[in-house]
Amino acid sequence: DIQLTQSPSFLSASVGDRVTITCRASQGISSYLAWYQQKPGKAPKLLIYGASTLQSGVPSRFSGSGSGTEFTLTISSLQPEDFATYYCQQLNSYPRTFGQGTKVDIK
Amino acid sequence: EVQLVESGGGLVQPGGSLRLSCTASGFTFSTYSINWVRQAPGKGLEWISYISSGSTIIYYADSVKGRFTISRDNAKNSLYLQMNSLRAEDTAVYYCARVQPSSLTGFMIYTFDIWGQGTMVTVSS
């Protein structure tokens, strides 16, 4: 199985900050990676797929990059509605594993 | 509106069984593959099962293999998860998630684009 490791697990930031989350895969997955946002009590929401393609309707302050084993999710200017937990997911093979999550909290 | 709605969760004793349902609306259910994903209280997301549009391809996570069975009835726009021999560690919110194929430069990718609101399963005596 492909393991995904996110860092950091917890991040404290202020509105307007630039935020970067990293996801590392235990083996190469090309660009078969997605990012999701989850707010408390809600289902995950797809943000980015193919490592860097923005899902329709997602604000352009979100961006993704990387390929192979190292990927990043960047929020260029953190907004109040962005405080949430973010997960990466590999779409290269089954089982479709997720990273452990990164909680973005208010500083 | 494109929507998935789960139902069937509840409290069950260890060793018991439960059947979850996921009902689709707003899209042609029979043409999409679907997954089940669960989330234990305060924990991360865990993929547990996949079924193709015609039920010809099925996958399970090792943690549920032999105990859970995924199925679908395209005539009823419904997906099911039969859960047997339940354990305390199966306590979680269970989500169904649609697979959306997307064509990118040089490859196809299959994302989980629509999720239900989840149904809570609690395994406890």
Side-chain angles (χ1 to χ4, degrees):
Chain A
D1 298 359
I2 297 172
Q3 311 301 320
L4 297 179
T5 304
Q6 289 182 231
S7 60
S9 295
F10 181 84
L11 187 159
S12 187
S14 301
V15 172
D17 283 354
R18 182 181 181 87
V19 166
T20 298
I21 299 168
T22 297
C23 177
R24 289 188 173 87
S26 60
Q27 62 189 75
I29 57 172
S30 186
S31 295
Y32 292 99
L33 189 101
W35 290 96
Y36 298 86
Q37 176 194 67
Q38 188 180 33
K39 296 182 179 179
K42 300 294 187 182
K45 172 188 172 184
L46 177 64
L47 296 177
I48 286 170
Y49 61 95
S52 60
T53 301
L54 209 61
Q55 172 72 346
S56 176
V58 174
S60 59
R61 63 180 179 273
F62 291 92
S63 64
S65 64
S67 68
T69 61
E70 187 149 338
F71 303 86
T72 59
L73 171 70
T74 299
I75 309 172
S76 60
S77 177
L78 199 64
Q79 297 302 300
E81 60 268 30
D82 301 337
F83 292 96
T85 301
Y86 294 85
Y87 295 92
C88 57
Q89 181 200 27
Q90 63 84 13
L91 300 166
N92 181 75
S93 59
Y94 279 91
R96 293 281 202 250
T97 44
F98 292 88
Q100 82 279 13
T102 296
K103 184 175 181 180
V104 177
D105 210 342
I106 302 171
K107 184 184 273 186
Chain B
E1 181 189 3
V2 174
Q3 196 170 316
L4 294 169
V5 178
E6 301 92 339
S7 61
L11 174 64
V12 60
Q13 292 189 338
S17 298
L18 209 56
R19 189 197 198 204
L20 305 184
S21 298
C22 168
T23 303
S25 60
F27 66 98
T28 307
F29 178 73
S30 61
T31 63
Y32 286 87
S33 301
I34 310 285
N35 291 270
W36 285 102
V37 176
R38 68 183 180 184
Q39 186 169 37
K43 302 297 185 183
L45 301 168
E46 180 190 14
W47 170 84
I48 57 170
S49 190
Y50 161 92
I51 187 167
S52 63
S53 58
S55 304
T56 54
I57 302 173
I58 286 174
Y59 299 122
Y60 297 101
D62 287 344
S63 58
V64 306
K65 199 174 295 182
R67 300 187 299 123
F68 290 11
T69 302
I70 190 172
S71 63
R72 65 191 293 164
D73 184 338
N74 287 340
K76 295 183 178 180
N77 289 339
S78 293
L79 171 78
Y80 306 103
L81 187 68
Q82 178 65 44
M83 305 187 295
N84 299 331
S85 304
L86 283 161
R87 307 166 180 166
E89 53 265 36
D90 296 318
T91 295
V93 175
Y94 285 73
Y95 297 100
C96 53
R98 187 181 81 167
V99 176
Q100 173 64 53
S102 298
S103 178
L104 300 177
T105 306
F107 66 105
M108 290 291 294
I109 192 165
Y110 299 88
T111 56
F112 294 15
D113 71 327
I114 302 295
W115 296 61
Q117 85 291 349
T119 187
M120 182 70 203
V121 172
T122 303
V123 184
S124 174
S125 56

